Amino acid sequence: MLIIERLWPYIVLASVIVALFLIYAWSPLPLASPLPVRVIMIGILGAAFALLLYFAARITMPSGREVLRHLDAAAPDAHQRAQTLLDQPSGITVTEITDALWRAHQKASAETLPSHPLTTWRSDLTERDPLALRYHLVLIAIVMGLLAGPEKLTRVISALSLKDPVVMDTSLSFEGWIDPP
């Protein structure tokens, strides 16, 4: 769960980049813009996605100590019971009595831990994006997909195409029925 918490901001950012591309592709912009503008737009989105993958790949797996610290932070008490499993005796000379006492302490500490500890989800997305703009972009992409209608795939292919499109009618129509009361 800790690795997912570390990857979650990058997963959300990837969905925002995909949503931005779909907003661009399903809008009339690719059909109306010249080839260099389309190449620049695709290049910017591709570079953002590549940079995102670069930083996401640098995330390391959490160590055992980090996992135990995470469990202790989610615990209702402040005794850090999970981290006591990593404790070592402080004395250099270990006698049979101190060793038996230490094993009893470790066993008692292990028994106080739950068998399947679940921690609460701790995501800092609300601190990074307090206005939740990430959801607005995904919602705009969904609306643009609905407005694109059956041409969704054709528009995505034309946005990725390096051929200069023939100037087409790029009017966007809104259709709806209004029933009188």
Side-chain angles (χ1 to χ4, degrees):
M1 175 102 123
L2 191 55
I3 189 70
I4 294 174
E5 283 184 15
R6 289 182 180 184
L7 283 175
W8 187 246
Y10 297 104
I11 293 169
V12 170
L13 192 55
S15 69
V16 166
I17 291 172
V18 169
L20 282 173
F21 169 73
L22 291 176
I23 290 170
Y24 167 73
W26 290 337
S27 73
L29 287 175
L31 300 173
S33 60
L35 181 65
V37 173
R38 286 186 313 172
V39 169
I40 289 172
M41 287 297 291
I42 298 300
I44 289 172
L45 291 173
F49 203 75
L51 192 63
L52 169 78
L53 288 177
Y54 171 73
F55 283 116
R58 294 181 57 177
I59 291 179
T60 59
M61 289 294 291
S63 66
R65 188 170 296 280
E66 289 173 323
V67 170
L68 292 177
R69 191 176 320 127
H70 185 75
L71 287 173
D72 282 338
D77 55 358
H79 291 294
Q80 297 184 349
R81 293 181 177 161
Q83 290 187 40
T84 58
L85 297 177
L86 296 177
D87 288 347
Q88 297 294 326
S90 62
I92 297 173
T93 58
V94 178
T95 63
E96 290 180 25
I97 297 172
T98 57
D99 188 41
L101 215 97
W102 184 253
R103 280 184 280 145
H105 167 69
Q106 291 287 43
K107 183 180 176 186
S109 295
E111 288 173 355
T112 61
L113 293 175
S115 60
H116 298 289
L118 292 176
T119 61
T120 56
W121 180 265
R122 292 186 308 189
S123 173
D124 60 346
L125 286 178
T126 55
E127 295 164 4
R128 292 182 186 197
D129 185 12
L131 299 176
L133 295 177
R134 58 195 179 271
Y135 299 119
H136 292 87
L137 288 174
V138 173
L139 183 63
I140 291 171
I142 291 170
V143 169
M144 290 302 292
L146 291 172
L147 291 176
E151 314 179 324
K152 284 193 255 320
L153 185 61
T154 345
R155 287 191 181 194
V156 169
I157 290 171
S158 94
L160 291 172
S161 173
L162 293 178
K163 296 178 184 174
D164 210 6
V166 179
V167 177
M168 300 172 75
D169 179 27
T170 58
S171 63
L172 192 60
S173 66
F174 294 97
E175 298 176 9
W177 293 281
I178 300 176
D179 292 334

